[in-house]
Amino acid sequence: MPSSRPLRADARRNREALLSAARRAFLDGDTDAHVEDIARRAGVAVGTLYRHFATREALIEEVYRKEVDDLCAAPGDLMDQYPPEEALRRFLLLLVDHAAVGKGMSVALESIMATDSPVFEDARTRMGEALTRLLDAGSAAGTLRGDITGPTLLRALGGVCAMRVSEGWLDEARQITGLLLDGLRHGAPRES
Amino acid sequence: MPSSRPLRADARRNREALLSAARRAFLDGDTDAHVEDIARRAGVAVGTLYRHFATREALIEEVYRKEVDDLCAAPGDLMDQYPPEEALRRFLLLLVDHAAVGKGMSVALESIMATDSPVFEDARTRMGEALTRLLDAGSAAGTLRGDITGPTLLRALGGVCAMRVSEGWLDEARQITGLLLDGLRHGAPRES
DNA sequence: TCCATAAGGTGAGTCCGACTCCGTTTAGGT
DNA sequence: ACCTAAACGGAGTCGGACTCACCTTATGGA
């Protein structure tokens, strides 16, 4: 079922064009661009759009997936280069900067964290695991507390990125990640 | 302009019925209930609904306002009864529990934090000020760090409540508030 | 090279839901 | 009882996501 013959050449081209048109639109902040517009921008008709993506939502999801995949890989990469605490710090900042690329993209992150969509299930899982490894390493090294799990932290981060309003938000997001970091560096758990 | 004659009796009744119907729908988790349905539930026609609320959105906003007002009053009340650190702790938990009332209501909080809507501007301001007073008191008492402002904390909380997915979220939200609290108790700011 | 054919593309049309408009009804003052 | 501004009703408009019957074209085999 996964290999039902490799898309015809023109089909693949159009698919690509659609994704890129949609990405451009979202990066411009036009998060509720009309399907008609996206199709036109890609030089195809709506019918074609719907041949490739079951629904507007599905297209959006697909656009975000790559962005998300990159992000998911980051914790692992950083851990190879830095001690856990530093890797964590860098990852948090990376996340915030990533969200800053454009209003549109932060919506992506919000979606990952807050959507039931099975599409992001996998991304969420991988990222959760990566964070868990990171936290475990820190815990073993004695620089991070051990009672917070990867998935929990993931949610906290989703929250941080969800607040994309007004000018000051970038600085505020940075402050908050600093706050979380301090919380994580703090030794003993207390009854919440 | 604010006092343009006190609504006719039937009008007030219907307005109330509409708000209550909408609230019921949202608490049931049916956050995208159709206006037609809400009107029917309230025993009026759509035209009536639109006489009272300019748009579907406006109705939703109105429904949430009360909820929000209660929440905004909380920090002040708690500060009268407890020392700052404890008041803060209780407020954070209150916030989480409030969001737990129903999926629908947590959307309200998310809106407050993430919407540009001027409607919530006021609520946001008041809550921000209340939190500032709380943080200042804690800072003066030496139990909370002084470099985080009310509005910043407000955003962090908005983030916490934005993650309303799957079973475990309540516990996770509690954990994260604990984390923030630890961060706030931590003394010195570090370069973020 | 050329044909057969299935994969792909098209866009007018359907569907659905938010919102409008104007004729009808009624609260409440005299 | 009567008047009228206020409120109500609900068929109709409008905009935007999605469909489908028909046309076009890539591609693989002769």
Side-chain angles (χ1 to χ4, degrees), chain B residues 141-154:
Chain B
T143 51
L144 298 176
R145 65 200 275 177
D147 63 326
I148 301 292
T149 68
T152 296
L153 179 56
L154 181 58

Side-chain angles (χ1 to χ4, degrees), chain A residues 113 124-133 135-136 148-159, chain B residues 163 166 168-169 172-173 175-176:
Chain A
M113 315 302 171
R124 207 153 42 220
T125 304
R126 270 183 300 147
M127 176 104 80
E129 282 166 1
L131 288 175
T132 297
R133 277 197 303 280
L135 290 168
D136 284 352
I148 301 292
T149 69
T152 296
L153 179 56
L154 180 57
R155 302 220 167 182
L157 301 179
Chain B
M163 9 156 254
S166 73
W169 88 265
E172 291 186 4
Q175 270 199 72
I176 293 169

Side-chain angles (χ1 to χ4, degrees), chain A residues 103 164-166, chain B residues 55-62 64-65 68 107-125 155:
Chain A
K103 268 196 170 185
R164 61 199 125 60
V165 174
S166 73
Chain B
T55 153
R56 205 188 96 98
E57 276 282 288
L59 169 59
I60 298 180
E61 270 179 10
E62 193 61 33
Y64 288 150
R65 184 135 47 192
V68 167
V107 175
L109 297 174
E110 199 180 348
S111 300
I112 303 171
M113 313 303 171
T115 296
D116 299 19
S117 161
V119 178
F120 291 128
E121 192 61 50
D122 174 58
R124 207 155 41 221
T125 304
R155 302 219 170 182

Side-chain angles (χ1 to χ4, degrees), chain A residues 54-119:
Chain A
T55 152
R56 206 188 96 98
E57 275 281 289
L59 169 59
I60 299 181
E61 270 179 10
E62 193 60 34
V63 167
Y64 288 151
R65 184 136 45 193
K66 169 130 195 331
E67 211 70 14
V68 167
D69 282 351
D70 291 352
L71 229 37
C72 286
D77 294 350
L78 286 168
M79 204 165 32
D80 292 343
Q81 301 174 46
Y82 303 96
E85 189 181 343
E86 179 60 14
L88 177 59
R89 199 181 74 87
R90 282 174 182 263
F91 175 65
L92 294 184
L93 294 181
L94 177 67
L95 196 69
V96 172
D97 286 342
H98 219 265
V101 168
K103 268 196 170 185
M105 276 304 154
S106 75
V107 175
L109 297 175
E110 198 180 350
S111 299
I112 304 170
M113 315 302 171
T115 297
D116 299 21
S117 161
V119 178

Side-chain angles (χ1 to χ4, degrees), chain B residues 10-85:
Chain B
D10 54 345
R12 199 161 41 65
R13 235 188 347 258
N14 284 336
R15 184 167 217 284
E16 230 50 51
L18 281 164
L19 284 170
S20 131
R23 151 167 284 136
R24 260 178 287 136
F26 300 152
L27 283 177
D28 290 357
D30 187 7
T31 25
D32 34 45
H34 298 173
V35 289
E36 204 92 31
D37 291 344
I38 295 176
R40 196 185 0 272
R41 283 224 223 182
V44 303
V46 278
T48 302
L49 188 155
Y50 280 100
R51 164 167 300 271
H52 291 289
F53 307 97
T55 153
R56 205 188 96 98
E57 276 282 288
L59 169 59
I60 298 180
E61 270 179 10
E62 193 61 33
V63 167
Y64 288 150
R65 184 135 47 192
K66 170 131 195 330
E67 212 71 15
V68 167
D69 281 351
D70 291 352
L71 229 37
C72 285
D77 293 350
L78 286 168
M79 206 167 29
D80 292 343
Q81 301 174 47
Y82 304 96
E85 188 181 344

